[in-house]
Amino acid sequence: MTSNSNHSDSHTSVLHETRSFPPSAEFVANTEVNADVFAQLNREAALDLDAFWCKRARDLITWEKPFTKGLDESNAPFFQWFADGTLNVSYNCLDRHLATRADKTALIAELDDGTVEHISYQQLYERVCRLANGLRSLGVQAGDRVVIYMPMVANAVVAMQACARIGAIHSVVFGGFSSKSVAERIIDAEAKVVITSNVGYRGGKTVELKKTVDEALTQTGSLIEHVVVFARDDSQTNMQAGRDIWWHELTAKQEANCQPAWVSAEHPLFILYTSGSTGKPKGVQHSTGGYLLGAVQSYLWTFDSTMDSGTASKHHKANDVFWCTADVGWVTGHSYVAYGPLAAGATQVMFEGIPTYPDASRFWQMIEKHKVTIFYTAPTAIRSLIKLGADLPKRYDLSSLRILGSVGEPINPEAWIWYHDVVGGGRCPIVDTWWQTETGTQMMTPLPGAMACKPGSCAQPLPGLSINIVDETMQTAAPRESGTLVIERPFPSMVRTLWRDPERFKTAYFPEEFGGRYVAGDSAMRDEDGYFWILGRIDDVLNVSGHRLGTMEIESALVANHLVAEAAVVGRPDALTGEAVVAFVILKGARPTGDDAAEMVKVLKAFVAQEIGAIARPAEIRFADGLPKTRSGKIMRRLLRSIARGDAITSDISTLENPAIIQQLQEK
Ligand code: WTA
């Protein structure tokens, strides 16, 4: 593990936060999990963790063949759960609802241009079956990998569910990633089929998804046998004969029923690539049974819902409309769009566009229009909407809301209070959920009916999760002392391995000195009430607008440019995006100045966007003749972080190999 948190000083405001917001008496009276139930759940889990999860796996999942054993630790840290049980995720999300609520709306899908489509569970089931049959007709079998590169339309979920139905392992790639990133993921996963769309729309702009796939496939040899292309509209795209097939043609003659593939609970459901401490993204591999259990159970707890919320007796839950704004390209869109809410039989909104188009009231308009009751979004969206129109929510009727949620990065108390007061009308608890791609599902959050919220704190672990903060001696950190966040015991939804890289899995998450504990990569502290506060990453991962970016990944992208000799990337705090990417670049030729430097900045920013995707584009690039290094040749990243922040350099730089370049790096 690398040094301690490099971001903690930017969170001092959080550490002085003392406000506390208990749920209203009305909320508590109607909650599924009040403080007593929460305490009871924790006692039950403490008594017998395995029995605790087995009971929930039986209650919440329909098994084809029941499991006889919960946790298997014999091959730690490659833990298994419910391994001899068989099930199908798509069956659990669709088929089992049909007898009682076939006509209930599963998806309210709103496109960028405002067109809305309501899709019932029956209709969703039929679409999924047709595509699943179509994929089978192309030769896709259980265990094959399918890359999904789609806009945020209903058919993105259909594609994921269709893969799950036939046991194919999907790897969704966010639509903003470049052709090179798509190619890398196809190659690493050895995918056979790509499912994409001719185009997508975001904020009125066309996203040429199929064109990007075509570019990617020039780099992937003969791996990809077929590309299934959803016609989002009638935009033209090049269709390569024999390889490319339109979704509507593939599915036109397929049956609206499809026998699900019953797979072991340990069968991989999906791979999702995420950034780590090296230049190469990690293929986080999730299971079928444990993952589904985590997704549905956390959905029910965190969002105070019941299975079959369509027939819930408790008042407003019968009409709950859930909206998670995350794209299916991220883990949040997997667990709280594609799987959790559907397994629970909920109605949810899906949105193709962006929060600021046609203007910054889009979210509020949609909450009013679709009577959203539970709204789950990212702090970066909240901050940008404050900036662009703090008063806009007041123009809409947001009284349907009962719970607000936050995910992906720390939410600063100012944004929290605005979200609470202006969006939530002061009446909605805010579930600030801490978790990761690797944990699969939510780990910590204030349970809305069981405890008070504190702005900026993710409160406490959900029942059945043993989360701790340890100091350098591996002892539990004292209250208010920062340390490394660890998870002590296995849990059902955790990452199973890194795709075809078990060694990296072990070293990345179970470093020896931590004695078998899962190391999350975050630093944190606990206050006197046992509330957790996340302080930042302890590795070289940045969090820009809630998206994980590896500094090494961006550095390798920069040095891939023939003009670049060396590059170092660090983060600096940003009021809007949480962190911003700052790159220090050494060119092969002379250090550019003036107009030349400005031109070079443009070229390199565009280059990074092309190599990785627009989300990785540096906010700032500075040039120098060299990087600050110790005499042993190590780049002094801490120094670079201070420079990026514009802090005065107070530390001793006399050990530097080349102290004179500090001034160059400080020049903008
Ligand atoms: C950060 C997103 C503070 C954290 C679900 C974690 C958070 C990383 C929160 C995972 C939160 C996520 N408060 N920080 N509520 N949620 N993070 O894999 O650093 O994209 O390790 O998963 O985001 O990002 P990932």
Side-chain angles (χ1 to χ4, degrees):
M1 289 271 87
T2 43
S3 62
N4 223 328
S5 166
N6 39 59
H7 311 297
S8 31
D9 43 351
S10 66
H11 289 275
T12 39
S13 63
V14 158
L15 302 182
H16 298 303
E17 182 58 50
T18 53
R19 287 168 286 191
S20 174
F21 296 80
S24 68
E26 198 206 344
F27 194 98
V28 174
N30 290 289
T31 190
E32 302 303 314
V33 184
N34 61 24
D36 290 341
V37 176
F38 179 60
Q40 174 54 35
L41 288 168
N42 284 331
R43 275 195 299 273
E44 192 187 329
L47 206 63
D48 187 342
L49 188 69
D50 192 52
F52 176 86
W53 284 121
C54 286
K55 174 175 171 3
R56 276 147 193 93
R58 286 189 196 101
D59 288 353
L60 299 176
I61 293 178
T62 308
W63 298 84
E64 191 240 357
K65 177 166 145 290
F67 57 88
T68 60
K69 189 174 171 33
L71 172 63
D72 180 350
E73 296 188 74
S74 57
N75 191 24
F78 301 92
F79 302 105
Q80 301 204 326
W81 286 87
F82 324 119
D84 66 349
T86 61
L87 74 160
N88 180 279
V89 165
S90 161
Y91 180 91
N92 274 274
C93 291
L94 301 169
D95 309 41
R96 66 168 170 164
H97 302 315
L98 297 185
T100 51
R101 56 202 125 131
D103 296 331
K104 181 177 175 178
T105 299
L107 300 179
I108 303 171
E110 179 159 330
L111 298 179
D112 193 54
D113 67 6
T115 316
V116 176
E117 184 186 18
H118 288 245
I119 301 169
S120 69
Y121 271 92
Q122 178 70 38
Q123 291 166 329
L124 186 61
Y125 164 83
E126 291 178 7
R127 269 202 213 183
V128 168
C129 286
R130 286 205 171 88
L131 182 65
N133 286 326
L135 291 173
R136 273 194 180 138
S137 77
L138 296 177
V140 180
Q141 296 175 355
D144 286 344
R145 274 79 59 208
V146 174
V147 162
I148 298 176
Y149 188 64
M150 288 283 285
M152 256 309 271
V153 297
N155 275 357
V157 168
V158 173
M160 294 163 81
Q161 287 280 344
C163 289
R165 192 159 193 93
I166 61 175
I169 303 166
H170 61 66
S171 177
V172 183
V173 180
F174 173 59
F177 275 116
S178 67
S179 59
K180 189 154 175 245
S181 296
V182 175
E184 271 169 18
R185 286 156 175 75
I186 288 173
I187 292 168
D188 193 78
E190 293 181 85
K192 192 168 173 178
V193 165
V194 176
I195 304 178
T196 188
S197 177
N198 54 350
V199 290
Y201 293 93
R202 282 169 65 83
K205 295 198 185 97
T206 312
V207 187
E208 304 262 8
L209 294 161
K210 173 61 165 54
K211 192 163 158 246
T212 307
V213 169
D214 286 339
E215 281 162 22
L217 296 192
T218 62
Q219 302 161 48
T220 57
S222 57
L223 274 175
I224 295 298
E225 295 169 14
H226 292 288
V227 181
V228 179
V229 188
F230 168 58
R232 162 72 178 74
D233 59 14
D234 56 11
S235 301
Q236 294 299 306
T237 186
N238 165 54
M239 296 292 280
Q240 185 177 311
R243 187 194 73 183
D244 302 352
I245 175 159
W246 289 105
W247 176 310
H248 57 269
E249 287 173 8
L250 176 68
T251 55
K253 293 202 183 72
Q254 300 294 343
E255 295 259 354
N257 294 298
C258 169
Q259 177 64 27
W262 303 112
V263 297
S264 152
E266 282 299 319
H267 181 76
L269 178 65
F270 65 85
I271 308 166
L272 183 59
Y273 287 87
T274 190
S275 296
S277 306
T278 75
K280 189 172 166 273
K282 308 188 268 198
V284 171
Q285 179 182 320
H286 277 291
S287 70
T288 294
Y291 171 81
L292 181 64
L293 175 60
V296 65
Q297 178 63 90
S298 61
Y299 176 82
L300 297 176
W301 278 334
T302 301
F303 301 115
D304 190 36
S305 299
T306 54
M307 276 306 261
D308 197 359
S309 49
T311 56
S313 55
K314 291 184 176 174
H315 67 297
H316 39 219
K317 286 178 200 164
N319 299 318
D320 258 334
V321 176
F322 176 73
W323 182 15
C324 165
T325 67
D327 192 283
V328 291
W330 311 113
V331 73
T332 308
H334 283 61
S335 306
Y336 303 103
V337 179
Y339 295 117
L342 293 179
T347 295
Q348 67 174 319
V349 173
M350 257 187 99
F351 175 43
E352 182 187 31
I354 57 170
T356 49
Y357 178 83
D359 61 48
S361 62
R362 184 70 181 262
F363 276 1
W364 324 129
Q365 247 177 53
M366 285 180 63
I367 290 170
E368 177 182 279
K369 179 161 66 175
H370 303 305
K371 301 198 168 41
V372 172
T373 59
I374 307 168
F375 181 64
Y376 190 33
T377 195
T380 189
I382 298 168
R383 288 191 298 263
S384 71
L385 293 176
I386 294 174
K387 191 172 162 205
L388 294 171
D391 287 331
L392 286 176
K394 294 181 186 147
R395 297 196 201 152
Y396 296 86
D397 177 4
L398 306 182
S399 61
S400 56
L401 289 170
R402 67 182 189 93
I403 297 178
L404 298 174
S406 173
V407 58
E409 54 180 320
I411 178 164
N412 49 309
E414 299 73 14
W416 195 101
I417 295 289
W418 180 84
Y419 197 29
H420 182 261
D421 291 353
V422 182
V423 180
R427 92 192 155 266
C428 306
I430 298 181
V431 290
D432 177 358
T433 60
W434 178 87
W435 57 296
Q436 311 175 296
T437 305
E438 293 86 345
T439 67
T441 62
Q442 297 157 346
M443 296 284 106
M444 294 196 275
T445 184
L447 267 187
M451 63 191 74
C453 297
K454 300 188 188 188
S457 167
C458 55
Q460 291 176 34
L462 290 170
L465 304 170
S466 45
I467 302 183
N468 199 3
I469 300 168
V470 295
D471 63 19
E472 265 133 46
T473 64
M474 298 301 140
Q475 301 302 306
T476 297
R480 300 233 163 240
E481 189 194 331
S482 77
T484 304
L485 192 70
V486 296
I487 308 182
E488 310 260 6
R489 297 286 298 138
F491 52 96
S493 71
M494 72 194 296
V495 49
R496 290 305 191 263
T497 187
L498 293 178
W499 181 251
R500 300 220 165 130
D501 201 351
E503 271 314 305
R504 188 171 176 198
F505 170 74
K506 278 201 266 186
T507 52
Y509 303 115
F510 297 91
E512 243 165 63
E513 62 272 30
F514 284 84
R517 297 174 178 95
Y518 168 85
V519 179
D522 282 8
S523 69
M525 71 110 192
R526 222 172 336 199
D527 67 18
E528 299 72 21
D529 302 326
Y531 274 51
F532 285 74
W533 302 76
I534 302 296
L535 302 173
R537 298 283 305 188
I538 50 174
D539 53 12
D540 295 319
V541 171
L542 305 182
N543 194 326
V544 179
S545 298
H547 302 317
R548 271 167 71 169
L549 295 170
T551 52
M552 293 275 284
E553 228 174 302
I554 306 172
E555 286 166 13
S556 357
L558 282 165
V559 296
N561 187 294
H562 68 283
L563 299 170
V564 175
E566 214 182 350
V569 168
V570 298
R572 71 157 151 71
D574 183 277
L576 215 54
T577 58
E579 282 189 286
V581 175
V582 180
F584 296 93
V585 173
I586 317 307
L587 295 182
K588 282 176 183 155
R591 179 167 74 103
T593 50
D595 286 351
D596 289 349
E599 184 53 34
M600 200 59 215
V601 164
K602 263 197 223 148
V603 168
L604 291 180
K605 282 186 181 180
F607 188 76
V608 172
Q610 186 195 318
E611 286 286 295
I612 303 175
I615 50 168
R617 194 195 302 265
E620 202 181 317
I621 297 181
R622 298 190 194 184
F623 300 103
D625 294 326
L627 292 171
K629 291 185 184 166
T630 60
R631 283 179 206 274
S632 62
K634 268 179 71 175
I635 296 174
M636 299 188 70
R637 288 176 181 279
R638 195 177 311 172
L639 198 59
L640 290 177
R641 280 191 284 266
S642 302
I643 294 172
R645 276 196 297 251
D647 292 350
I649 307 294
T650 50
S651 58
D652 178 16
I653 52 171
S654 60
T655 57
L656 274 187
E657 176 67 36
N658 41 1
I661 55 114
I662 295 296
Q663 205 188 337
Q664 279 180 4
L665 291 166
Q666 283 172 326
E667 285 165 18
K668 288 214 183 176

